[in-house]
Structures are given as C-alpha cells and as structure tokens.
Amino acid sequence: MAVTEAENPLVGEITCGSLLQKLQEIWDEVGESDEERDKMLLQIEQECLDVYKRKVEQAAKSRAQLLQALSDAKLELSTLVSALGDKSFISIPETTLGTINEQLAAIAPALEQLLKQKEERVKEFSDVQSQIQKICGEIAGNASEQTGAPAVDESDLSLKKLNEYQVKLQELQKEKSDRLHKVLEFVSTVHDLCAVLGMDFFSTVTEVHPSLDDTTGVQSKSISNDTLLRLAETVSVLNEDKKQRLHKLQELATQLIDLWNLMDTPEEERILFDHVTCHTSASVDGVTVPGALALDLIEQAEVEVERLDQLKASRMKEIAFKKQVELEEIFARAHIEIDPEAAREKIMALIDSGNVEPTELLADMDNQIAKAKEEVLSRKEILDRVEKWMSACEEESWLEDYNRDENRYNSSRGAHLNLKRAEKARILVNKIPGMVDTLVAKTRAWEEDRGISFSYDGVPLLAMLDEYAMLRQEREEEKRRLRDQKKYGEQQNTEQEAIFGSKPSPARPSGPKKVVGPRANGGTNGTPSRRLSLNATQNGSRSATKDGKRDSMKLAAPANFVAISKEDAASHVSGTDPVPASP
C-alpha cells in the first residue's frame, strides 16, 4: 500500500499517513512479503473500523441519554406546571426547535424556576398542614403523640388546593378559639362554685386536666372533647352539690327561724346566724358569696338546730300552748267555734303521760295549724261577704234611727255629714237582698262541696240567713200595716174636721213611744246582731247540740239582730205614733 500521508510539518503531529509510511520503511528494511504486508494492513483497517464503531456507539448512547434527559425535563416541566396549577406565572419555551442541547438549554431556566417555586409551595403546604395537624391533635386530645411534619402531596400544589387548606385551618383556628373560650368559661365557673362551696379550686380543676391550672398559658390549655366533657360534668356535679347544700341550708334556716320564734330567742343570738338565714329565699344562682355554702357552715347550723331542739323538748308545754294559742287565733279569725279548754287539757295529759314524743306532738299541732289555715282560705270568700252583709245591716239600723230623728234636717253641726251618710246607706241597703241571695248560694255550694254545714261562731250560717230573711219580711209587713193604720187615722181626722168644722189637736200617745222591736246596740228594724235566739223549729232551719243531738240551740246572727214574733212587734207599736217608711 502506497504511503498517502506524511507528517504534517505545520502542527508537528503524528498522523495515520506518517505512521503508515514509517511502517512501510520498516517492512522494506526487514523484507516483509506482500502477503504479510496485506495481512497486517487488513488487521489495521479492522482495528480502525472497530474504533469507529465504538465511537459511533458511544455517540449514539450519548445522544440517547440526551434525548432521555430532554424527555425527562419535558415531563418534569409538564408535571410541575400541572402540580402548581398555573401556567401564567412563567413562560414555557418551545422545545421542538433546535438541537437536543439547544432544547435542553431552553428548558433549563424554566425548569429551575418551577423547581424553586415548587420548593416554596411545598413549604407553604407543609406549614399549613402542620398547623392543621396540631389543632386536630389538640381537639382529639393526642397533641403530644403528633411527631414529624405531615406528608405533602406533591401531585397537587395548586393555589386552589393551598387555599382549601388555609380555609380549613381558619375554621379549625376558630373552633380552637371557641373551645378555648368555652374552657375558660368552664374554669371560671368551677372557680366560682368552688369558692361558694369552700372547696379547693386547684385540686378540683387539675383533676380534669393538668393544663387547666393558673400557671399554664392560655394557649397551652387543653381543648379536647374529653376535657370539655369532663369540665361540663364537673360543673354539673358542683351545681348539683350547690343546689343540695343550699336546700339543706334553707331547711336549717327555716328550722332555726321556727325554733327562734317558738322560744322567743333574743335578736343578739339570731344575729350570730345571719349568714345562714339570709339565704332562706335565695335562688341557686343568687348565692355567690365565697364560703356561703361551705360544709363547716352547714355543720354549725346543724349543731345549733340540734341544740335548740333539745332546748325545745325541755320547754314543751310552753311551746305547745303557744301553738295552741296560734291555732285558736286562726279559728277565731275564721269564726270557727272550738273548745280551747278541752284542747289544753288534752295537751297537758299527753305531755304528762310521756307516751308521745315532743317532736311528734309539735308536728301534729303544726299539721293542725296547716289544716286550719287551709280551712280559713276555703271560708275566706264567704266570710268576707258575711262581713259586708253585717256592715250593710248596721248601716240599715243607723238609717232607721236617722229617719226617726225629726231634727235631722236642722242646720246643726254635722248634719250635712249625716245626710251624705244617709244617701250612701240607702244605696247600700238596697243591695242587701242581693247580698243575702249571693251569700246563700255561695254557702250552699261550699256545703255541697265539703259535705258539712258552714257554721259562723258555732251557728249554721244558712239558718242565720233564713231567719234574717224571715224577720226582714215580717218587718216589711209591719211597715205596711203601720202605713195603712196611719192612713186610716188621717182619714178619720179628715172626717172629724168635716163634721165639726175644725181640725182637732193630734191625739197624744197613751203611753211611752215604742219601736218595732227591741234592739241591741241601737238596732231597730230587725238588723242582725252577732247572736240571736232562734227556735229550732222555725222556718225549717237546722240546729244541733254540741254532742251531735238535734235540739234547740243559740244561732249566730249579724249585729243588733233579735228575733221577735209578729204579735210582739204589734204590741210595741202605738196606733198614733208615726213610723217613717224604710228607705
């Protein structure tokens, strides 16, 4: 093979041609055969071909790597754009033009910028999710078990997703604030209740959770569901305890007041327990004074009640008679007739016999007083109407006296006042029949409802009303008879004047002036008195003796009222005495 290349004198490098020429010279000098020379040249060509092949393979491999890098870069770019969710904030280059290296160089800045933004976005997500995880742990009560940062889903790092996490975080922060506020309210309530009950606040609240004492910061307090539930239970228990203690204290206060009143305890002794009796009518929420319901205070009140109970037992007779007087006063106000002497003798016998406990005797008397008060309430409406009726009857009696007074119209002192009273009395007297009818109806309804007779100072009220109605009717008949008699007398005088020509002087009464009937306390016209004598067989009224046997008895009647027969009434009337008509 001829030498085609020589050493390049310009660069001073060894080339393939110079080496081949050097080899040819060596062969000539050695005397190699042409076959050997051809063989060696073929070997050299094969070795050169192998080198080229390796270089081509290496170049192809490098190109493939670049293409893979370009593809990976494009994929990563697309993934980042998709994950970040916003293409407007960065310019995405065209990657289909230019060589591979040019395309990689064009993608690299955008990819670097997206990677930086991804790192920042991942940090934002991590911060938000860490706060969410922390608050959720606090609400669940396992905040101490939370370790490490939460895993961030890098497939979606969009602003929309970040905003969703931020909204969730705001909701959780609000819930945490609400829970913290509720915890602080519960703690404050527990503090106030413990103060009123005289309990140790620190030990009570730390039993719920150690973080609830005053030494820890507000943000460090537990806000878990379990803490809130236990706080609510604690408040409920303390409120119930407060309610029970207040009820107990009010019972003791009532007992103290009753015992003081029974034994006329001096004021200086009562003042010592003002802190107990001041809550007699207080509500549970109204008791806020520290220590007001402490156990030692309740124990002091219990000791005082026990002491007074023992003192009460030694003064049993005095107290029992005092209650008996109270009972008698109640019956007297209700116009219920009882036998006080028999009741006192019975009390003495029970106490002296020792067969009854003092507390049982007083409890029985308290029961009697309570029943008597109930009886008074049931009789109140009727008694009020009886008083009005009696008052009207007294006005009627006064009006009769006023009408009989011939000097009532004289200009004497106080005449105008009597005239005004007379006008009002006439209006009131006209209402008496309606009063009586209403009173009868109310009394009968009361008796039908209870199945017993309504007595007024021991006398059946209906009998009093029946007799009053009968006597009022007799009085009206008597008035009519007197008017007729007067009219007849005037007619006789007129006839005598016509016969004799002159009017005779009026005939003088043959005896002292008499009224329609005897009056008690100034009554003249059958106005009722507090007591009257009534035959049991008259007008079908009911009567009975105290031992239950039916017999004549004294009936109570309104003031200034006496029973008289028609004959007795007529015997007291003078034929010439003018009697004014009833208004």
PDB file of all heavy atoms in Angstrom, residues 543-552:
ATOM      1  N   SER A 543    -130.613  22.767 113.463  1.00  0.00           N
ATOM      2  CA  SER A 543    -129.984  23.020 114.764  1.00  0.00           C
ATOM      3  C   SER A 543    -129.497  21.704 115.322  1.00  0.00           C
ATOM      4  O   SER A 543    -130.018  20.646 115.030  1.00  0.00           O
ATOM      5  CB  SER A 543    -130.991  23.683 115.729  1.00  0.00           C
ATOM      6  OG  SER A 543    -132.084  22.828 115.949  1.00  0.00           O
ATOM      7  N   ALA A 544    -128.484  21.815 116.132  1.00  0.00           N
ATOM      8  CA  ALA A 544    -127.935  20.611 116.748  1.00  0.00           C
ATOM      9  C   ALA A 544    -127.164  21.013 117.973  1.00  0.00           C
ATOM     10  O   ALA A 544    -126.592  22.094 118.039  1.00  0.00           O
ATOM     11  CB  ALA A 544    -127.025  19.874 115.772  1.00  0.00           C
ATOM     12  N   THR A 545    -127.116  20.157 118.956  1.00  0.00           N
ATOM     13  CA  THR A 545    -126.318  20.417 120.148  1.00  0.00           C
ATOM     14  C   THR A 545    -124.892  20.014 119.878  1.00  0.00           C
ATOM     15  O   THR A 545    -124.592  19.387 118.876  1.00  0.00           O
ATOM     16  CB  THR A 545    -126.883  19.614 121.348  1.00  0.00           C
ATOM     17  OG1 THR A 545    -126.879  18.242 120.968  1.00  0.00           O
ATOM     18  CG2 THR A 545    -128.299  20.045 121.660  1.00  0.00           C
ATOM     19  N   LYS A 546    -123.961  20.399 120.778  1.00  0.00           N
ATOM     20  CA  LYS A 546    -122.554  20.117 120.569  1.00  0.00           C
ATOM     21  C   LYS A 546    -122.264  18.630 120.550  1.00  0.00           C
ATOM     22  O   LYS A 546    -121.305  18.188 119.967  1.00  0.00           O
ATOM     23  CB  LYS A 546    -121.711  20.790 121.646  1.00  0.00           C
ATOM     24  CG  LYS A 546    -121.620  22.294 121.458  1.00  0.00           C
ATOM     25  CD  LYS A 546    -120.685  22.892 122.453  1.00  0.00           C
ATOM     26  CE  LYS A 546    -120.575  24.400 122.256  1.00  0.00           C
ATOM     27  NZ  LYS A 546    -119.681  25.018 123.214  1.00  0.00           N
ATOM     28  N   ASP A 547    -123.086  17.810 121.243  1.00  0.00           N
ATOM     29  CA  ASP A 547    -122.824  16.373 121.255  1.00  0.00           C
ATOM     30  C   ASP A 547    -123.451  15.698 120.064  1.00  0.00           C
ATOM     31  O   ASP A 547    -123.514  14.468 119.988  1.00  0.00           O
ATOM     32  CB  ASP A 547    -123.319  15.738 122.560  1.00  0.00           C
ATOM     33  CG  ASP A 547    -124.814  15.996 122.747  1.00  0.00           C
ATOM     34  OD1 ASP A 547    -125.414  16.658 121.867  1.00  0.00           O
ATOM     35  OD2 ASP A 547    -125.361  15.537 123.754  1.00  0.00           O
ATOM     36  N   GLY A 548    -123.956  16.450 119.075  1.00  0.00           N
ATOM     37  CA  GLY A 548    -124.463  15.863 117.851  1.00  0.00           C
ATOM     38  C   GLY A 548    -125.944  15.616 117.862  1.00  0.00           C
ATOM     39  O   GLY A 548    -126.523  15.260 116.836  1.00  0.00           O
ATOM     40  N   LYS A 549    -126.660  15.745 118.974  1.00  0.00           N
ATOM     41  CA  LYS A 549    -128.093  15.507 119.026  1.00  0.00           C
ATOM     42  C   LYS A 549    -128.811  16.738 118.526  1.00  0.00           C
ATOM     43  O   LYS A 549    -128.444  17.852 118.804  1.00  0.00           O
ATOM     44  CB  LYS A 549    -128.528  15.183 120.452  1.00  0.00           C
ATOM     45  CG  LYS A 549    -127.870  13.911 120.992  1.00  0.00           C
ATOM     46  CD  LYS A 549    -128.317  13.649 122.403  1.00  0.00           C
ATOM     47  CE  LYS A 549    -127.664  12.398 122.981  1.00  0.00           C
ATOM     48  NZ  LYS A 549    -128.060  12.115 124.341  1.00  0.00           N
ATOM     49  N   ARG A 550    -129.898  16.527 117.811  1.00  0.00           N
ATOM     50  CA  ARG A 550    -130.687  17.636 117.311  1.00  0.00           C
ATOM     51  C   ARG A 550    -131.522  18.198 118.445  1.00  0.00           C
ATOM     52  O   ARG A 550    -132.219  17.515 119.152  1.00  0.00           O
ATOM     53  CB  ARG A 550    -131.585  17.175 116.164  1.00  0.00           C
ATOM     54  CG  ARG A 550    -130.798  16.574 114.990  1.00  0.00           C
ATOM     55  CD  ARG A 550    -131.702  16.298 113.818  1.00  0.00           C
ATOM     56  NE  ARG A 550    -132.386  17.494 113.362  1.00  0.00           N
ATOM     57  CZ  ARG A 550    -131.833  18.411 112.574  1.00  0.00           C
ATOM     58  NH1 ARG A 550    -130.606  18.259 112.190  1.00  0.00           N
ATOM     59  NH2 ARG A 550    -132.524  19.458 112.181  1.00  0.00           N
ATOM     60  N   ASP A 551    -131.439  19.515 118.614  1.00  0.00           N
ATOM     61  CA  ASP A 551    -132.132  20.179 119.713  1.00  0.00           C
ATOM     62  C   ASP A 551    -132.101  21.667 119.453  1.00  0.00           C
ATOM     63  O   ASP A 551    -131.487  22.125 118.504  1.00  0.00           O
ATOM     64  CB  ASP A 551    -131.411  19.833 121.038  1.00  0.00           C
ATOM     65  CG  ASP A 551    -132.315  20.136 122.221  1.00  0.00           C
ATOM     66  OD1 ASP A 551    -133.430  20.649 121.993  1.00  0.00           O
ATOM     67  OD2 ASP A 551    -131.880  19.860 123.348  1.00  0.00           O
ATOM     68  N   SER A 552    -132.756  22.438 120.300  1.00  0.00           N
ATOM     69  CA  SER A 552    -132.703  23.895 120.195  1.00  0.00           C
ATOM     70  C   SER A 552    -131.292  24.368 120.536  1.00  0.00           C
ATOM     71  O   SER A 552    -130.618  23.746 121.313  1.00  0.00           O
ATOM     72  CB  SER A 552    -133.679  24.560 121.162  1.00  0.00           C
ATOM     73  OG  SER A 552    -134.895  23.888 121.179  1.00  0.00           O
TER      74      SER A 552
END
